[in-house]
Each structure stands twice: as structure tokens, then as C-alpha cells.
Amino acid sequence: MLECANMLGGIQLDFTQLPQQLVNGLMIGAIYALIALGYTMVYGVLRLINFAHGEVFMLGAYTALLTSYAMGFSPTALNAAYSKNLDPRNDPLGLVIMLLVAMAVCAVFGALIEYFAYRPMRNQSRISALITAIGVSMFLQYTGQLFLPSTPPPSIAQEANPYREVLTWNIVPEVLAQDGSVAKAGIEIVVTQGKVVMLITVVILMSLLTYLVMYTKTGRAMRAASHDFDSASLMGINVNRVVTATFMLGSALAGAGAMMLTTFEGTAMQPFFGVLPGVKAFVAAVLGGIGNIPGAVLGGILMGIAETLVVWLGFSAYKDAAAFVILILVLLIRPGGLLGSNKVEKV
Amino acid sequence: MKNGLLQIAALSLALVSMSFMGGCKDPNETKTDKPEASTSGGSGTTPSGDGIKIGLVASQNGELRPWGVDCIAGAQLAVDQINATGGIGGKKVELMIQDSNSKPEEGKSAAAKLASDGVVALVGEVSSGITKQIKTIALEKKIPLVAVGATKPDITADGNGLISRVCYTDDMQGPVMAVFAFKDKGLRRVAVMTDNKQPYSQGLSETFKKKFIELGGQIVAEEFYQSGENQFGGQITRLKGAKPDGIFMSGYFPEVGPMARQIRENGIKDAILMGGDGWDSKEIVQSGGDAIVGGYFCNHYSNEDNRPEVAKFLTDFKAANGGNLPGTTMGALGYDAVNLVIDALKRLDAGKTEINSESLAKEIMNTEGFRAVSGDVTLKGTNGDPAKRALVVEVTKTDQKFVKGFEPADVLN
């Protein structure tokens, strides 16, 4: 029995859609995971929840967009090309450039935010640092509103995206009855090339991160600082450098996520658009166990899939509520998160 | 304190949701302050000096700027034209413009400033959220208000004979699209995508669904999203399962563009995409690409409409604006709104009635069969909502194309 579309109190379970929905969830989760890594790494080292992280994500998206403009894919240039019936596409190298520029700019922003906003607050109470983080977040949103294009610029990046091919994977073919109606629904997974590229890039980035954290000197310093910040500094580790590196790494990942979201999924940008992904990714980080790197990845992907499953059940109107229900449940049942340690912490 | 993390996370969540609310610009969330004490005691204003002042609130800045700029250009054209023919009873008409910065609260203070400058009528805004705030000033100071592009039905409610508009309401555009889908496109199985963060979108989906079902069509699915969301794969997969022959997307263009793209990418190839005036922006083509081209939406006005008023307006607008056409429908609606006021002023002048905001308010509501660029406007016998022509336009690669005009009688019977 492949199809089991039954109506149970309004819930419509269409199992033929489940594989596609899991793929959808994975794509959303991959982006959440990239952002969640930034939250979790900073928390791991500083015990600070960097609420400005969503805004770094937003800046990354704008950077990617403006880079594509600079490479000749501005609205005017594209419209001119269309009027001549041309179909201009970026080449893969162009996408790599966009990715690297977005990551670099975000890394610089991350470092600047840490240096100017959080470093002076380092020895203050954690609540002060938290409030500062929220302040920075709002500062970036409203400054963005002043200086970034005020009409939401559409993402041209996706228009020039070379990976637009739609891949269809027919797992179970649809069977048609004689009269042309569907006798047995098929199962298929439809995904764009771009999303596959996105997923591969996420895997590569995460492998790089793992290598950096586990096998390099900076990574070892990071882990030491995360284990015990004060002792690490006593052992001759330059903790300021470690903190900067952590912020840069986390922000670069957010930048990469932003670039891929704008390019392969398409977004309409405005200075507040980092808020929603930021909050979701924060929940993902808590779900996986904040401070725990594999936890952030797991949490992100679970969040993406959970959200999509809520939609699959037919409750798209409550999709975002699901994120917060998850957060509350995690905090109640397993406050340390799925992979986090459950030790009781003193404040 | 059993668990520090729990505490921190709970607090953070509370704070972040606060900042989140601050971030979204839902005009309905703006609290209405207590009305400031009225200096004149609410007796209305009489034109002072040698000109008749009309106040225009428009978004010269912020995300509504493209509409605001066009609205001002249209309004200015109307005023320049009347002044070129000698004004009203020998008096010049003066257009006083205040910026609302695309924000409801700033729209309110802009309207208050205009009221204290002694305008006889207020014109504006293009969005329902800002107009609602201007309305509070209009009611308080007893100055008539003609809204330009506010389509939310409740704008004219409790207007005390002061509040009117030159655009249709959402009660019109939902049914127009339903009739168009059912009769002109022969669609029977339509799915609906609703932005459940926007009252506009919710209302529009409701009126569309109601009419479509009434006509005998079937709403095969309705899915929800929130403005600000980027990935719609889950909802789209469900729509696909319902096999719709049309999809009605009642949200605003920033989400509709990417959503259209994702609909096609997910293999819904043939369903016709449709929407309301929230689509009206050139950017929808840029963010929706090929996917949105060929989609239909309901609009107030089109440069290609076959009314003679349109051709004249375009010639005049081009001459006044260096050969440029209005970029959005608000050029025509701004022109219409100011002309509606001027038309009432002319009638007052012809009847030798003293011109003040009270007599003007009455005269505006007496408007009958006013030939506006965007369609005939009759306010007599209404609460300020004209039963007005609505157009269906098609999104093309570079612009939009006029498809069909609907008179209220075609739709609302």
C-alpha cells in the first residue's frame, strides 16, 4: 500500500509525498544548520548568544546580490539582455566568487561586531552581553534600512544561476486508469540541480569546519577556550584571537548559507529578512545542544524536517509555531539539547 | 536557579520575539496614540490667504517610495492642470506634500502637520496601514480624506461622511479574479496560497474562494506561509498533490516571485498563477523570472486600458515628466484622487457655496459619475467606497499587459 490518503480529523496523510517532503525539509534544514553553527560556536567559546547573527546572514545575502550585480547581472543588465532574447547565465566560477566574497565580508562583519560591541562587555554579566547582542541586532536592521536599497531588491543571482535544471527521480511510476484518471499515485522526488549543489557545498563546508576545529592549532585553541576560557588564557592561548576566529568562522558560514539561499532558492531581500532564519537557527542550535558543533548540524536538519512535516500534515498555518513548540519541549525535557551535556550549570 | 541555560534561553526567546515584532512592519500593530488636543475645536478649516490648499501624504522614502513618487507626480499634474486654466474661482490650488516615510505613525504626524497648515482636504495614502492613521487625523479635525490606494474594506467604516477613496476594495478584486479564472480561463480546480501574516492576503483569499466556489469551482487546497519566508517546498509539494489547474497567490510580490519560481521547479508546470494588486511591481518579474511571466493579477489601472481618459492622462503625464510614463498604478490613482477633490471644489464654486472643509466633505460625497482615469467614480449614496472598474493584467517579461476590464456589475451580481 503506497498511497494511504485518509482523512482523520482533518489530517491528511499522503505517504506518496513523504519522500519529497523529507527532501524539502533537508534543504531548509541545511541552511538552518549553517546558521546554527555560528550561534553554537560563539556560545561554546563565550557563553554568549549572538543575536546579531541573523543580521550577519542578511548582510551576506546583500553582499552576494551586490557581487552578482558587479559581475554584470544587475536588473538593468538582465533586462537589456532579455529584450535581445538572450539568456545570460553566470558560470560556476562566478558562483564561487560570490560565495567567497559573501563569506569574506561576513567574516569581517563578524569580527567587527565582536571587537566593537562584545569585547568591551566581556567581563560584564551575561545579561548585559545578551542585551548588547539584541542591541547590535536592531542596530544592524535599522542601519540596513537606512543604507541598503529601500525597495526590496529581488535576487537576480537566481536568475543568472547556471544550475536551473530540474531533476526528477521517479521512484514509483504513476499508474493511470483507462479513463486517464490516476489509478495509483506515483512517488517521485523533484529537485533542482542548484539544490543538489547547495547540499554538496554544505557538506564540504562542514567537513572543512570539522577539519579546522579538530586538526589545526586554531581549532585546538578554540576547543581549549570553549572548555575553560580562563585556564586557556593562563596556558598562553591568545583568547582574543580565538574569539575573533570563532566569530569569523561562524559568520562566514552564515554568509555561505545566505549566498546559497539567494542563489538557489530565491529570496526577496529587505533589511529584516535575517530575523526569521536567525530565530529558527537559534532554536536549531538549542535543539542540538548549544555549544555543540555536530549538535547544531543535527538540530538544523531536524528543525527543517520537523517544519516540513508539519506542512505535510496539513498545518502550514502553524509551521512557525512548531519551531517554538520544539524549543519549549527541548528546554523542558532535555535542557542541554540532544547532543549537549546535561550538567547543571550555575549562573 | 536550577538551570542557567534554561533561564537564558527563555529570556532570549522573549527578547528576540520582541525584537522580531519590532522588525515586522505590520501597520496594524502600531498603537494609535490619544488624539492630540485639537486647537480649532474641530470646526473645520477655511482656506486662508489666496490659495486653496490640498494636503497630500505620500511615501517619499521607505519601501513604498516607488508608489509614493508616482502618486506625487500624478497629484502635481492634476493641480498644475487646474491652475493652468485659472484655478478655482480665481484662486490657485496649492498642493502641500508631507512624507510618511512608508510608516503609519509618520503618516499620522504628516497628516497632523498638513491639518495645522490649513488644508481643506487630505489625499493619501497608497497603503491601508498608513491610511488608517491619516483617517484618525481627518476624523479629529473634520477634514475630508480621499484615500489613493488603500483597498482594505474597513478604511471607510465609521467615516462620518469624511472618508472616501478612488480605488476599489478587496471585496472587488477577489471576485474579479474568481470570475476571470472560472469564466475566462475555464479553471475549475484552484489552489490558494495565503500569507497568514498579512490581513490583506487573508481577506483577499477569502473573497476569492467564496466567489470561486459560488461559481461552481473547487478550491482543491489552501496552504499558508508568512511574509519573510524563503523556502516554500513543503507547501508546494502539497499543492502539487492536489493537482490544481490554477494557483491563486494573494500575498505581496516579494514572496510571490520566488514562490512562483519554486512552484515551477517543483514540477507544477501548467497551473495558471494569479494574484491581487499586491503583485503590482516591476520587481515581480525580476524575482519570479520566467515562472511568473504569463501570470494574471487584478489591478486598478493599466497604461493600455482602452478608456479615452487613459490616453489623455498618459500624454499629459509624459509631457510633465520628461517623457516618462508612471512606473506604477499610483500615478493614475494620485491624479484621480486630487482631481476628485478639484471636481468637488469646482462644483462648490459654481454653486457659490463657501469653500471650507465641511462643505467640501459633503460635496465630495455627492460625486456622481466622475470620469476618473482609472474608472468612473460615484460616491453619492455610498459610505465612500466607489463601485469601481477593476482590470486583469498579465505579467510580461518587461512589464504588464492589459487583458480585460471588469465593471462591478460583471462581478458582484
Side-chain angles (χ1 to χ4, degrees):
Chain A
M1 286 307 287
L2 285 162
E3 201 201 2
C4 173
N6 58 340
M7 295 280 282
L8 268 176
I11 301 180
Q12 218 176 345
L13 294 179
D14 183 351
F15 285 100
T16 58
Q17 285 182 2
L18 191 55
Q20 173 77 60
Q21 291 292 28
L22 290 175
V23 171
N24 292 339
L26 186 65
M27 297 300 169
I28 299 176
I31 299 288
Y32 288 164
L34 277 183
I35 313 175
L37 280 168
Y39 279 107
T40 230
M41 287 166 67
V42 166
Y43 186 87
V45 173
L46 280 185
R47 302 286 181 273
L48 164 77
I49 295 167
N50 176 18
F51 276 116
H53 197 54
E55 277 56 57
V56 172
F57 179 77
M58 174 271 288
L59 290 170
Y62 269 100
T63 308
L65 181 74
L66 295 177
T67 312
S68 81
Y69 282 13
M71 291 191 302
F73 299 102
S74 68
T76 351
L78 282 179
N79 278 338
Y82 294 147
S83 63
K84 286 180 210 140
N85 266 328
L86 293 174
D87 185 10
R89 297 207 183 184
N90 210 329
D91 48 30
L93 181 68
L95 293 188
V96 173
I97 293 173
M98 278 167 66
L99 182 75
L100 293 180
V101 173
M103 289 175 76
V105 169
C106 283
V108 170
F109 265 106
L112 289 177
I113 290 170
E114 192 276 324
Y115 186 81
F116 287 107
Y118 300 145
R119 193 164 292 185
M121 303 300 290
R122 178 113 23 105
N123 296 321
Q124 306 292 322
S125 73
R126 278 162 67 180
I127 284 296
S128 314
L130 191 71
I131 303 290
T132 309
I134 292 166
V136 172
S137 162
M138 288 178 153
F139 171 76
L140 288 175
Q141 287 166 9
Y142 288 93
T143 316
Q145 214 185 14
L146 266 183
F147 294 109
L148 294 170
S150 58
T151 346
S155 177
I156 294 304
Q158 46 179 333
E159 188 73 350
N161 158 27
Y163 300 111
R164 270 193 272 171
E165 228 56 35
V166 177
L167 310 173
T168 311
W169 181 26
N170 237 316
I171 305 170
V172 177
E174 193 174 75
V175 181
L176 291 181
Q178 297 241 307
D179 61 350
S181 67
V182 182
K184 204 170 114 193
I187 299 180
E188 61 171 14
I189 292 178
V190 179
V191 70
T192 55
Q193 254 181 352
K195 286 187 195 172
V196 177
V197 172
M198 178 169 99
L199 213 56
I200 294 172
T201 316
V202 171
V203 172
I204 293 175
L205 286 174
M206 283 174 183
S207 318
L208 277 177
L209 179 73
T210 312
Y211 172 78
L212 242 153
V213 173
M214 301 307 290
Y215 302 104
T216 64
K217 220 173 141 186
T218 318
R220 200 182 309 156
M222 240 179 239
R223 281 181 291 143
S226 156
H227 193 71
D228 191 329
F229 197 79
D230 296 327
S231 308
S233 77
L234 289 176
M235 295 298 168
I237 292 174
N238 184 345
V239 284
N240 279 338
R241 254 193 56 200
V242 169
V243 170
T244 306
T246 310
F247 268 87
M248 287 180 79
L249 262 180
S251 304
L253 290 175
M259 178 270 169
M260 288 190 286
L261 185 70
T262 51
T263 308
F264 299 128
E265 289 276 36
T267 53
M269 266 180 255
Q270 40 121 337
F272 294 97
F273 112 108
V275 177
L276 201 56
V279 173
K280 300 272 188 69
F282 167 63
V283 176
V286 174
L287 171 63
I290 195 153
N292 182 307
I293 289 179
V297 177
L298 179 71
I301 289 168
L302 284 182
M303 271 284 296
I305 289 178
E307 246 186 55
T308 320
L309 288 184
V310 172
V311 175
W312 175 65
L313 288 172
F315 298 113
S316 54
Y318 305 98
K319 183 164 69 72
D320 294 311
F324 298 102
V325 170
I326 290 175
L327 179 67
I328 292 165
L329 288 180
V330 169
L331 289 177
L332 283 176
I333 299 164
R334 207 180 149 83
L338 294 176
L339 299 186
S341 57
N342 260 327
K343 64 168 190 245
V344 176
E345 235 179 282
K346 276 201 179 136
V347 183
Chain B
M1 300 299 113
K2 216 174 88 189
N3 193 297
L5 180 59
L6 179 90
Q7 219 189 4
I8 296 266
L11 176 72
S12 332
L13 180 66
L15 285 166
V16 93
S17 49
M18 266 163 57
S19 74
F20 183 47
M21 280 178 203
C24 59
K25 284 159 286 175
D26 187 348
N28 298 325
E29 275 169 17
T30 322
K31 272 200 192 130
T32 314
D33 298 318
K34 271 213 162 147
E36 302 135 35
S38 161
T39 43
S40 61
S43 60
T45 44
T46 319
S48 51
D50 44 3
I52 299 173
K53 295 173 181 164
I54 299 177
L56 173 69
V57 182
S59 303
Q60 288 170 300
N61 288 293
E63 73 270 14
L64 299 178
R65 183 179 150 80
W67 290 270
V69 169
D70 279 346
C71 182
I72 291 171
Q76 192 64 55
L77 177 62
V79 169
D80 290 348
Q81 283 178 345
I82 183 73
N83 286 339
T85 59
I88 297 196
K91 284 182 179 173
K92 268 197 175 316
V93 177
E94 242 182 277
L95 185 69
M96 308 190 72
I97 305 165
Q98 284 287 326
D99 185 9
S100 70
N101 202 14
S102 305
K103 292 192 178 79
E105 39 320 353
E106 291 187 39
K108 188 180 176 184
S109 43
K113 171 85 174 57
L114 289 169
S116 66
D117 287 346
V119 298
V120 288
L122 285 166
V123 175
E125 245 273 19
V126 304
S127 98
S128 298
I130 307 175
T131 307
K132 250 187 184 163
Q133 293 301 314
I134 302 174
K135 176 182 167 184
T136 61
I137 297 292
L139 291 179
E140 184 194 324
K141 308 274 177 180
K142 299 201 167 59
I143 302 174
L145 165 67
V146 180
V148 175
T151 54
K152 219 167 164 248
D154 66 359
I155 290 291
T156 47
D158 305 318
N160 290 342
L162 290 168
I163 317 295
S164 61
R165 58 181 133 202
V166 288
C167 54
Y168 57 64
T169 70
D170 292 335
D171 291 341
M172 175 77 185
Q173 58 173 338
V176 161
M177 288 316 290
V179 170
F180 177 75
F182 192 88
K183 293 191 179 154
D184 294 78
K185 287 287 143 189
L187 304 183
R188 294 294 177 268
R189 302 170 53 83
V190 171
V192 178
M193 273 291 235
T194 304
D195 182 345
N196 64 352
K197 204 170 152 188
Q198 303 286 354
Y200 157 77
S201 174
Q202 291 170 324
L204 187 53
S205 290
E206 279 314 310
T207 54
F208 174 85
K209 284 189 294 184
K210 193 163 161 254
K211 186 73 188 178
F212 194 71
I213 292 169
E214 221 174 273
L215 289 166
Q218 197 188 350
I219 301 294
V220 290
E222 180 172 17
E223 292 296 317
F224 299 90
Y225 64 96
Q226 278 206 2
S227 23
E229 225 171 274
N230 304 304
Q231 291 163 296
F232 309 98
Q235 292 96 318
I236 290 168
T237 300
R238 277 184 63 87
L239 293 191
K240 191 182 174 192
K243 299 203 186 322
D245 52 17
I247 302 177
F248 184 70
M249 300 140 95
S250 61
Y252 288 109
F253 68 90
E255 284 79 29
V256 165
M259 199 189 298
R261 210 181 273 270
Q262 290 173 32
I263 283 174
R264 297 304 186 214
E265 283 171 356
N266 276 279
I268 307 182
K269 292 197 182 70
D270 304 319
I272 293 177
L273 307 182
M274 296 167 292
D277 66 340
W279 284 30
D280 180 30
S281 162
K282 281 190 174 151
E283 277 152 15
I284 198 163
V285 186
Q286 292 164 355
S287 61
D290 284 337
I292 200 83
V293 170
Y296 299 95
F297 67 97
C298 190
N299 216 344
H300 302 270
Y301 158 85
S302 161
N303 289 349
E304 295 168 24
D305 194 354
N306 42 17
R307 289 168 62 86
E309 287 84 358
V310 172
K312 180 176 180 306
F313 166 70
L314 290 179
T315 321
D316 295 349
F317 192 94
K318 265 183 168 168
N321 292 283
N324 289 322
L325 288 172
T328 69
T329 56
M330 294 306 157
L333 285 182
Y335 180 77
D336 285 348
V338 171
N339 265 335
L340 186 82
V341 176
I342 288 175
D343 191 56
L345 285 171
K346 277 188 196 159
R347 275 178 281 141
L348 284 179
D349 182 54
K352 304 273 181 246
T353 317
E354 194 203 343
I355 292 174
N356 57 34
S357 49
E358 204 186 329
S359 60
L360 183 59
K362 261 193 205 124
E363 202 50 51
I364 288 176
M365 286 299 180
N366 272 332
T367 302
E368 223 172 335
F370 169 63
R371 303 277 291 165
V373 171
S374 57
D376 292 353
V377 174
T378 295
L379 295 173
K380 195 169 187 166
T382 70
N383 63 337
D385 294 334
K388 196 151 161 271
R389 178 183 173 80
L391 311 178
V392 175
V393 294
E394 183 183 342
V395 181
T396 66
K397 198 122 207 189
T398 47
D399 201 358
Q400 39 184 263
K401 195 168 79 191
F402 171 67
V403 177
K404 196 175 173 186
F406 285 87
E407 297 299 333
D410 304 339
V411 175
L412 300 171
N413 51 10

